[in-house]
Structures are given as structure tokens and as C-alpha cells.
Amino acid sequence: QVQLVESGGGLVQPGGSLRLSCAASGSIVSIYNMYWYRQAPGQQRESVGTISSRGSSTNYAEFAKGRFTITRDNANNTFYLQMNSLKPEDTAVYYCSAFISTAQDIAGSWYWGQGTQVTVSS
């Protein structure tokens, strides 16, 4: 019923930038906290950062502080991950996640996107 779709990944050189988007669709009533995660080859999935329902509060992993910024556009049910000063170690599949309530499921459920590949290489 609800889908989260990531976009904006690709190949960039070290020091470059990318903006990832996560668009939610479906019979959405409310989108609560939104999350970005990433998973590098052979590694466990790790948190990149989160943003609160109103976008007033964000939290970032240490590796993301000062380089990555999470924002959200509630009118379009979309949130973003702006990544600057990218490093080779940022190479991973990036996933978005959110807790969303719908008309059919007012209590809400967790949803995950399918991921988008980010490769940082010269």
C-alpha cells in the first residue's frame, strides 16, 4: 500500500556531492520520523541520520556530521539526504525508512525503501 522509493544515487569522485531523495506514496495520513541508513559491501547496515516529524530536529552519525544534511518536504511526502565532501568509504547502498500511518492502518507501520547505490571513486 505504501511505498518508499529512493533516487539520486550514482558514481561520484571523492570530494563530490550527491542528493538522495526518498518519496513516499500511498494512502498516507502521517509520516513520522524519517531515517537514512546505509550498508557497505560485507558490512552491517548502519544509521546515517534521522529527522523529526516537523523537521525541527536532526541527528547524525559521527561520520556524517558536518558533511551530510537531512531535510524533509512534508507537502510532497519526500525527504532528502544531501551528501557533500564524499569519501570512498561512503560507498554503500543507502536506504530510507519511515514510520507511516494510513487510512487503513491508523496506528502506523515501518516502511523501507529498496535502496540506491552510491559509489565514490576516482
Side-chain angles (χ1 to χ4, degrees):
Q1 183 178 10
V2 173
Q3 288 188 322
L4 297 179
V5 179
E6 301 98 336
S7 62
L11 174 64
V12 297
Q13 295 184 339
S17 298
L18 283 175
R19 188 181 75 160
L20 306 184
S21 299
C22 180
S25 62
S27 301
I28 296 170
V29 174
S30 297
I31 302 178
Y32 299 96
N33 288 20
M34 293 177 164
Y35 302 78
W36 284 100
Y37 293 84
R38 72 182 189 183
Q39 187 168 19
Q43 303 296 319
Q44 296 292 315
R45 186 173 297 182
E46 63 180 341
S47 174
V48 175
T50 69
I51 187 167
S52 63
S53 299
R54 297 178 62 85
S56 59
S57 179
T58 53
N59 288 285
Y60 300 96
E62 286 298 321
F63 66 78
K65 291 179 179 178
R67 298 191 299 130
F68 296 0
T69 304
I70 300 172
T71 57
R72 64 188 288 167
D73 180 359
N74 288 338
N76 292 291
N77 291 329
T78 303
F79 67 112
Y80 306 92
L81 176 63
Q82 177 69 45
M83 302 187 292
N84 300 323
S85 301
L86 285 163
K87 306 173 182 179
E89 52 263 45
D90 294 319
T91 295
V93 177
Y94 284 72
Y95 300 88
C96 63
S97 181
F99 192 84
I100 300 172
S101 65
T102 68
Q104 296 76 31
D105 178 24
I106 196 66
S109 299
W110 284 104
Y111 294 90
W112 287 83
Q114 295 300 306
T116 185
Q117 177 70 49
V118 172
T119 302
V120 185
S121 179
S122 59

